[in-house]
Amino acid sequence: MRIRPGAEPMRSLLIGALPPPWHETTALFKQLVDDLSGVPEMRTAVIDTARRGIGHWSGKFHAPRMLGMLLRAVRKADVISLHASVNEALLLGPLVWMACRIFRKSWIFRGFGAEFDLWYQQASRARRMVFRRTVLRADVTLFETKASVAHFAKISRRQVRWYPNNRPFEESSRPLRHQAGSALRFLYVSHAAMDRGMRMLMEAVDDLHGQVQIDVYAPPDLGMREALHGKNIAYRGSLAPSQAAQAMQAYDVLVLPVHEEREAYPGIILEAFRAGLPVIAARARAIPEIVDDSCGLLVAPGDVSRLSAAMQVFIDDPQRLTTLSEGALVKAREFSSRFWSREFVRLNRELIVIA
């Protein structure tokens, strides 16, 4: 997209938490900010909502500080966007709604996480009312999962759209890593030390027939090396997000038999797609929205026998491994940050035209 000669760049105010600390939502917001910095038809300003103070006073003055920054910046923007989890949405959503109403500005709400629809169904009547009368009155609301989009499309009178977790993606062909006769290499990544997923893997590996190696990356835990010893499972230490892409080059399949309910589309699955790794994942919450039979296998949460059977599929059928590996690369294109950042620019332009 290019602006016509002589046209003024549109001015976008982005409100959200930047790293540090580094986690899924701060990394996603920074990625969008960085992508937009190179767009010639847009000028961006950012209000960083991260709470880096210490203790009670940091939290007490967070909302007033954000309101002051917002009122100073909103006048200079054409479109405002708030990028937030549920808790930040409840705190900052009303402030952004009020400022945009006063200054007659268009605005976008982007929700981070998979729990928005579940939270809304379980929230108190007062909280639902606040959310409905402020956040859902944004000109456009964006949610990471299709389940949330379907739920809020029935409630909101405004536009509700899908805007998934995404990653940088460059077109490339995945080299054939697995050599016939060698052990198939499975990768498991967790943020929890000695969690339920590791225990499932320890049980599942006993039922596997054929050469297999499972490498576990997780925070250090006393006794973990000993617990995993002798089961074709090796503990490899922690894996920082910045190391994931490179580490995956050495593996054949990502296995993720458990799922955090608050997480929409786990970043590690999208990283696997980028690397051309098929995925074995739990059939839980939003996972089936991104893992299907073109790029992986789904198993019932907690079902060890189904987990081992899914792993055995890749051991017995090298052609299936190749086909699903190719499918993973195709799936990765759906979550390209370049594509979704362009969509965000287009959405801003659309709101300016409407206004």
Side-chain angles (χ1 to χ4, degrees):
M1 185 192 305
R2 289 289 183 269
I3 56 174
R4 59 185 182 278
E8 288 292 327
M10 55 185 169
R11 300 165 298 175
S12 180
L13 173 63
L14 291 90
I15 306 167
L18 290 168
W22 285 91
H23 49 73
E24 191 74 12
T25 58
T26 59
L28 281 171
F29 184 58
K30 184 179 187 303
Q31 182 176 284
L32 177 63
V33 170
D34 290 346
D35 286 350
L36 297 183
S37 67
V39 176
E41 67 265 34
M42 179 176 280
R43 296 290 180 268
T44 58
V46 178
I47 293 179
D48 183 4
T49 63
R51 306 189 193 198
R52 298 189 181 89
I54 300 175
H56 170 73
W57 294 107
S58 171
K60 185 174 182 179
F61 291 107
H62 184 63
R65 184 169 65 90
M66 290 296 105
L67 179 59
M69 296 173 66
L70 176 62
L71 292 177
R72 287 193 296 271
V74 70
R75 303 183 190 188
K76 301 177 182 179
D78 298 311
V79 179
I80 293 86
S81 57
L82 173 62
H83 307 249
S85 62
V86 166
N87 290 335
E88 287 292 282
L90 288 174
L91 177 66
L92 301 179
L95 303 183
V96 176
W97 169 78
M98 179 181 66
C100 291
R101 185 176 180 126
I102 291 172
F103 294 101
R104 297 183 179 180
K105 302 290 184 176
S106 297
W107 73 290
I108 300 165
F109 172 75
R110 177 189 180 189
F112 287 130
E115 79 274 24
F116 273 90
D117 55 325
L118 288 181
W119 166 82
Y120 188 86
Q121 295 173 57
Q122 299 169 2
S124 66
R125 183 175 181 180
R127 289 194 166 199
R128 290 200 306 269
M129 182 181 68
V130 170
F131 190 81
R132 188 172 62 252
R133 294 187 178 182
T134 59
V135 175
L136 289 183
R137 288 189 177 178
D139 296 276
V140 180
T141 51
L142 306 174
F143 293 103
E144 283 193 14
T145 69
K146 295 176 181 178
S148 287
V149 171
H151 178 81
F152 289 109
K154 300 174 182 177
I155 300 171
S156 176
R157 296 181 180 180
R158 307 295 179 91
Q159 296 184 59
V160 181
R161 299 187 184 183
W162 184 52
Y163 196 94
N165 184 341
N166 50 79
R167 288 289 189 278
F169 175 75
E170 296 181 3
E171 288 287 343
S172 62
S173 58
R174 176 184 185 269
L176 182 62
R177 298 188 183 92
H178 185 249
Q179 301 296 322
S182 63
L184 200 65
R185 299 197 67 185
F186 291 88
L187 168 70
Y188 176 75
V189 182
S190 174
H191 300 300
M194 207 55 191
D195 68 2
R196 186 162 55 94
M198 293 181 210
R199 293 188 175 91
M200 288 180 63
L201 286 174
M202 291 170 63
E203 294 179 36
V205 73
D206 291 333
D207 297 330
L208 296 178
H209 306 287
Q211 289 185 295
V212 60
Q213 174 64 43
I214 304 172
D215 285 350
V216 170
Y217 291 87
D221 181 41
L222 184 63
M224 184 179 294
R225 293 181 186 276
E226 292 77 9
L228 297 178
H229 180 68
K231 290 179 173 290
N232 295 330
I233 303 179
Y235 172 61
R236 301 299 184 186
S238 299
L239 185 65
S242 59
Q243 301 172 319
Q246 183 176 358
M248 285 185 177
Q249 298 304 312
Y251 295 93
D252 301 298
V253 181
L254 172 71
V255 56
L256 199 70
V258 293
H259 176 52
E260 168 59 50
E261 287 294 315
R262 293 172 60 87
E263 194 172 12
Y265 304 150
I268 197 66
I269 290 182
L270 301 188
E271 291 290 351
F273 290 160
R274 288 177 61 196
L277 268 65
V279 176
I280 299 174
R283 187 183 288 104
R285 285 292 285 153
I287 297 296
E289 293 184 9
I290 59 172
V291 178
D292 55 35
D293 58 9
S294 72
C295 58
L297 302 173
L298 292 171
V299 298
D303 192 329
V304 175
S305 63
R306 292 293 178 88
L307 174 61
S308 61
M311 298 172 73
Q312 190 68 46
V313 166
F314 290 106
I315 297 171
D316 294 340
D317 191 350
Q319 182 56 48
R320 185 79 176 275
L321 174 63
T322 300
T323 300
L324 293 183
S325 176
E326 293 170 351
L329 287 172
V330 172
K331 182 68 72 172
R333 299 188 189 106
E334 297 181 22
F335 303 96
S336 163
S337 62
R338 179 179 299 180
F339 171 82
W340 287 104
S341 294
R342 286 175 178 170
E343 281 294 293
F344 189 80
V345 173
R346 187 187 64 78
L347 185 56
N348 274 254
R349 177 64 72 190
E350 181 180 297
L351 290 178
I352 292 174
V353 171
I354 293 174

